[in-house]
Amino acid sequence: MNFLDTVPAIRRIETSRDDLLAIDVVGHVSAADGENLFGLMEAAYALHPRIDVLVRLVDHDGVDWANIAQETLKQGTAHAMEHVGRCAAIGEPNWIADARHLLRASLSIEFRHFETEDEASAWQWLGARPTEKQQGRG
């Protein structure tokens, strides 16, 4: 194993809003990366009863959903329906239809997909921006 094998696929993006969880999803998402994502979301919920989410897909190469504990998936879905207001997805693939299907019990989450070249519109829709050290990405 080389050092690149240990780089997490889920990477937090610092933003101008405390109640916005922004992440890069880079390459293939392992079960451990998925568990990490749910942990990041739980931490955000602990600080803010309602949050918005921005997901920027970078060279996305799938998710090991089958290897994430079913209880984690159920709990993660239930908590997202309770706490997430808006979710912006940037890049491909466009997974908004799948998310709406999975979270069909929740009409309170507003999803929008943005093409990579339209990333600025996603940030504007959420009323935020990446902080200075992150701005070189997008």
Side-chain angles (χ1 to χ4, degrees):
M1 174 175 5
N2 70 38
F3 74 95
L4 290 178
D5 291 336
T6 62
V7 175
I10 307 294
R11 303 173 193 169
R12 195 164 174 273
I13 303 168
E14 295 295 326
T15 77
S16 60
R17 279 184 52 197
D18 288 341
D19 61 345
L20 172 64
L21 174 63
I23 59 168
D24 277 336
V25 177
V26 182
H28 186 79
V29 179
S30 70
D33 292 318
E35 298 276 348
N36 179 45
L37 171 60
F38 287 117
L40 289 171
M41 294 183 80
E42 290 297 327
Y45 305 152
L47 296 172
H48 305 282
R50 293 293 283 176
I51 67 167
D52 290 334
V53 177
L54 179 137
V55 178
R56 184 167 54 191
L57 300 168
V58 181
D59 298 325
H60 184 62
D61 188 28
V63 179
D64 286 340
W65 291 115
N67 295 322
I68 299 173
Q70 286 302 306
E71 186 59 32
T72 299
L73 291 172
K74 286 180 190 175
Q75 185 178 31
T77 299
H79 288 176
M81 290 189 303
E82 287 176 36
H83 297 283
V84 176
R86 288 181 162 186
C87 180
I90 303 166
E92 296 301 325
N94 180 352
W95 48 264
I96 298 297
D98 292 335
R100 282 188 180 128
H101 177 72
L102 179 66
L103 301 169
R104 65 185 168 273
S106 174
L107 300 175
S108 64
I109 301 176
E110 186 178 355
F111 291 98
R112 285 184 71 186
H113 177 260
F114 297 85
E115 298 297 330
T116 301
E117 60 272 8
D118 209 16
E119 180 176 336
S121 295
W123 287 101
Q124 183 177 15
W125 182 62
L126 293 171
R129 59 178 171 70
T131 59
E132 289 297 316
K133 68 180 188 178
Q134 295 287 332
Q135 286 185 345
R137 281 269 326 142

